[in-house]
Amino acid sequence: MTTEQIISLMSQQGLRITEQRRTLADLFAGTDNYLTPKDVYEHMAQKYTGLSFDTVYRNLRIMNDMNVLEQFVFEDGIKFRAHCQEHHHHHHLICLHCARTIPFVYCPMDGASGIPDDFAVVKHKFEVYGYCKDCQS
């Protein structure tokens, strides 16, 4: 996603576009890597003195809830990256060595049984972790 696409998504959902949020959009548009909240905070703190970690984390959560960012849980903690460009429901294969992310169209929730009738599923996540072809050698 480009900076303008990220800003447009946030704006369409009613989020006020501040200078700090524009900087967040630039950061995520400019990297294919996963960023920890600490990575983001350290980047932002260089430009915005007095910025709190809570403010950064709250904005990451808001952007995740708006589907601007995607949150992934790795063994070493939560990381974020810009939402991928797939336009249909999909999940991800994630390499534990190089962090390459491969979208794939499969959903274990399709036809899922065993969910109690009194529970309404509103969203879910499914990632498969392993090693890509390049990292297996």
Side-chain angles (χ1 to χ4, degrees):
M1 292 179 115
T2 66
T3 299
E4 291 309 316
Q5 287 173 317
I6 292 171
I7 289 170
S8 176
L9 278 174
M10 291 189 295
S11 181
Q12 288 170 16
Q13 296 184 58
L15 192 61
R16 199 172 106 241
I17 306 303
T18 63
E19 184 183 338
Q20 290 178 359
R21 288 182 177 146
R22 185 172 291 280
T23 300
L24 277 173
D26 285 338
L27 175 62
F28 281 100
T31 185
D32 289 329
N33 296 332
Y34 294 90
L35 300 172
T36 66
K38 183 181 176 192
D39 295 333
V40 176
Y41 172 75
E42 288 173 353
H43 174 83
M44 299 289 289
Q46 292 175 11
K47 185 172 181 178
Y48 304 102
T49 57
L51 179 71
S52 74
F53 182 80
D54 289 341
T55 298
V56 169
Y57 194 76
R58 184 173 50 255
N59 276 284
L60 292 173
R61 299 295 303 162
I62 289 168
M63 292 170 75
N64 177 65
D65 292 345
M66 294 179 147
N67 291 321
V68 173
L69 298 180
E70 291 182 284
Q71 173 184 299
F72 295 88
V73 179
F74 287 87
E75 290 177 356
D76 59 346
I78 294 172
K79 297 180 183 182
F80 294 87
R81 68 175 232 171
H83 202 278
C84 67
Q85 298 291 338
E86 294 292 323
H87 296 292
H88 52 278
H89 183 72
H90 67 284
H91 295 284
H92 299 101
L93 303 170
I94 301 171
C95 180
L96 290 167
H97 185 262
C98 70
R100 179 177 176 203
T101 303
I102 304 163
F104 73 105
V105 180
Y106 168 76
C107 184
M109 292 297 293
D110 292 343
S113 61
I115 297 172
D117 291 337
D118 61 349
F119 187 84
V121 175
V122 294
K123 69 179 185 174
H124 67 277
K125 296 207 51 124
F126 178 68
E127 289 99 28
V128 177
Y129 297 89
Y131 296 98
C132 70
K133 182 178 81 169
D134 295 338
C135 293
Q136 288 179 39
S137 40

